[in-house]
Structures are given as C-alpha cells and as structure tokens.
Amino acid sequence: MSGGFYAITRANLEKDLRLEWRSKDALNAMGFFALLVVVIFAMSFDPSAEESRRIVGGIFWVAFLFAAIVALNQTWAREMRNQVLDAYRVSAAPASALFFSKVLGNFLFVGLIELLVSPLFVVFYNVRSIGPVWQLAVVFFLGTWALVANGTFFAALSLRTRNREVMLPLLLFPISIPALLAMVQATTNILSGEYSPDMWIKLLAGYDVVFTIAGLLMFEVVLNAE
Amino acid sequence: MKPKTAIFVLITLALLGLGFYQGMYAAPTEQTMGDIQRIFYYHVPSAWTAFLLFFVNFVASVMYLIWKSPRTDAWAVASAEVGVVFCTVVLITGPLWAKPVWGIWWTWDARLTSTLVLWLIYVSYLVMRRFSEGQQTATLAAALAVFGFLDVPIVYMSIRWWRTQHPQPVIGGGANSGLAPEMWPPLLFNWLAFSCLAALVVWMRYSLARAEQELEHQYAVRSLEGRDEMETQLKRAR
C-alpha cells in the first residue's frame, strides 16, 4: 500500500519543509512579527527584573499566539493554488495524514522562531529563571503544540469563509483560552520559582491530547465540507 | 399564529408574570443583601437555560455530522443564538448584583470567567456562521461546535485552579449552605418560565432557519433550471 498514514505524512511534511526552506515566507514574517511584539512590549512596560518574572510568561505566549497566526494563515493558502486541496480530496490518501503533517510543519516553524526569539527576553527583559530551565522546555513543547494543533484545524476551517485571514484568530483565541492560561501560569511559576507548574503542565498535556485526537478525527469532515 | 403556538405563548406569559410576582413580592427579603438578592431569580434561571441551550447545540451538531439533516442544523443555529442571548443576560445581571454586594463589577473568579469564555466561544461560533456561505456552513459550524464543547470542561477546570470567588454553590453546597425554603418556588417558577420563553424563541428561530433553508433550496433549483433567465426574457418580450 503506497498510501499509508506514515508515508503520506512524511511526504507532505518534506514538501512543506522544502517549500519553506526555499521561500522562507512564513519564517520571515513570523520571526519579524514576534520580534516587533517583544520590542514593543519591552518599551511599553519597561519592567525591572523582578517585574519581568511576573509578566514575561504572558508576553511570551501572547507574542507567539499572534505570530503563529501569520504562519497558520499561510499553511492552507499554499494548497489553494492549482487546486492542490481539491486533488487531495479526490485522492485516496487519508485526510488525517495531511492534517498531521501540517501540524508537524507548523510546530517546527513556530518552535524554531521561539528558539530564535527567546534569547531576546534575556536581553530586553533581563529574565533569569529561578525554577529549573528544563521544565520551560516541556512547557514550550506542549504550549506550542496546543497552539498549532488547534490553529492548523481552524485555519482549514476559516479557509472556507469570507475574509479568512480575519476569521482564524476569531475562532482560535476563544478555544485557546484555557491552554493559554496554562502556558502562561506554568511559565510564570517556573520563572518565579514560587509555585509548582506541575498541575498546569498536566492540564496542557490533557488539552493537547484531546484536541489532537479531535483534529485528526474531524479533519476529514472539514476537508470535505460542501 | 397557530392555536397551539398561541396557547403556548399565553402559558409562557402567565409563567413569566407568576415568576415576576414570586421573585419580587412573594419571596422573603434576604437578611444581609436585602432586595438586591432578588436578581438571583433572574440570574440563575438564565444561566441554567443558557447551559441547557448550549448542550442542545452540541447534540444537534453531532446529529448533523452523523445524518446531515438540515433540520438538525436549524436546531443548532437556533439554540446557539438563543443560548448566547441568555448567557448575555447572565453576564449583565451578574455585575449588577456584584457591584453592591462585592463592591466590584467584575472579578476573575472561576464561574464568572468560565461563563465569559463560554460566551466568547459561542459568539465565535455565530460569527463563523455569519462569514461562511452555502451548504458547507452547517458542516463547518458543527465541527466548531464539537470543538467548543470539548473545551468547556477544560475551561472550567483551568479557571477553577486559577481563581475562586463566586459564592460557593448555594444549592447542594456544604452543611450551612442551602436556600431558605420560601426561596425555592420563585426560583423554580422563574426557571420554568425562562425555559418556556427559550423554547418559544428557539422554536421561532428554528422555523425561520427552516424557511431560509427552503428559500436557498428554491434559489438553487431555479438557477439550475435557468428559470430566472427565462422570466426576465419573457418580461422583456412583453
């Protein structure tokens, strides 16, 4: 069987990575956008090191929530040209594989930008973590996954609406509120070292599991909506 | 108006009147809060009705995804719209009560925040419906409704861990909680009245949604048959 889930996911992911490597459209736009948000927030609040620990968690995730929208909006727009999405629809390949590859791709793009931009928080906000840094890596991983898993799904959903670019944040933000709360609280707890972030990390993991499964199961419905 | 509908409207009006009398006059004045507490008889029934309607929306959406029947989609849109209205009533009556009792309009407490997030999710559902066109709207909206409903328990848990200030559950709370027995009838009468009102409005909205679907269907059939063009040509010929 040539159309296995794994093979199709891999083929799609490779194609997306190659396209992005050549054009760097999403990465450039997203990276510059995140940089702007970080600089503007730093100038607006001008926090001391102590204040930074309390607000950086919020600023970090709000910056990447906004920046991720830039990448997510381009995810499916690319497939509209030359009716690629229609071709995919009539093919026998499982829709969930297409969805999963897009989530992985977006995860890599957003994650890469997070890695590149986070040092700026040390520079502009003078942040030093009191809690263990490896926990931050766990929160980054789960938080980014939460944003892109739902984001990729809702980007496909808003693709079918009028002014789709505006639609995505309107759908994504309300549903993401609990995840955003968990990311921000976990990050702040680690940075300030006052409370344990465990509960929030578990919530985030639960959120990721629920919505990844829901996305995989429901994507076919959205792809074939007529 | 059909006779059955007219009777139902009369019953609803009577219940609303009875609920108003019970809540404003018959119910005893609360010891510490005074008359302000009477908003409770509108706040709580609205909340129950809104949550019930959101649940109806979820069930209708799942049924739509299974059977693709336009009827279930009409139920989904009607229940979501009316649910948002009742949820708005909850969000307005809450601060009206909170200002004199708590001294603040709003606080990021568990139930307040959960209700607000729920309201945001269903408003985004309605916005999506508005910005989508044609047959796909129903499917996309149903998918969104399922996602929104999955989010509700997570929202509730996350925000309960974050804050809690809302008066602890008065009904079925702890040993010292509980309503005075005389407060039950106004609450239940108002709930019944609000449920009837909601049912009435949902039914009207449902009929409207069905009429819209029928209209769209007629347009589609007409354009397929090319009848519109024939008619304009006929008019010109005359």
Side-chain angles (χ1 to χ4, degrees), chain A residues 149-168:
Chain A
N150 264 352
T152 309
F153 188 86
F154 288 125
L157 217 155
S158 48
L159 199 64
R160 308 301 194 73
T161 59
R162 278 179 280 143
N163 47 23
R164 56 177 83 124
E165 312 255 302
V166 185
M167 210 53 219
L168 175 59

Side-chain angles (χ1 to χ4, degrees), chain A residues 175 207 210-211 213-215 218, chain B residues 58 122 143-155:
Chain A
I175 297 247
Y207 182 95
V210 167
F211 283 104
I213 293 174
M218 305 270 294
Chain B
F58 170 69
Y122 282 94
L144 184 60
V146 171
F147 268 66
F149 197 80
L150 286 177
D151 211 28
V152 171
I154 306 179
V155 167

Side-chain angles (χ1 to χ4, degrees), chain B residues 57-108:
Chain B
N57 169 268
F58 170 69
V59 174
S61 300
V62 170
M63 281 164 67
Y64 181 80
L65 287 176
I66 298 171
W67 290 306
K68 300 278 171 193
S69 143
R71 279 171 195 275
T72 50
D73 181 53
W75 282 119
V77 64
S79 55
E81 275 186 15
V82 182
V84 165
V85 172
F86 275 92
C87 200
T88 311
V89 171
V90 176
L91 288 173
I92 291 172
T93 51
L96 284 180
W97 172 87
K99 181 65 184 163
V101 175
W102 287 342
I104 38 171
W105 293 109
W106 183 265
T107 172
W108 295 102

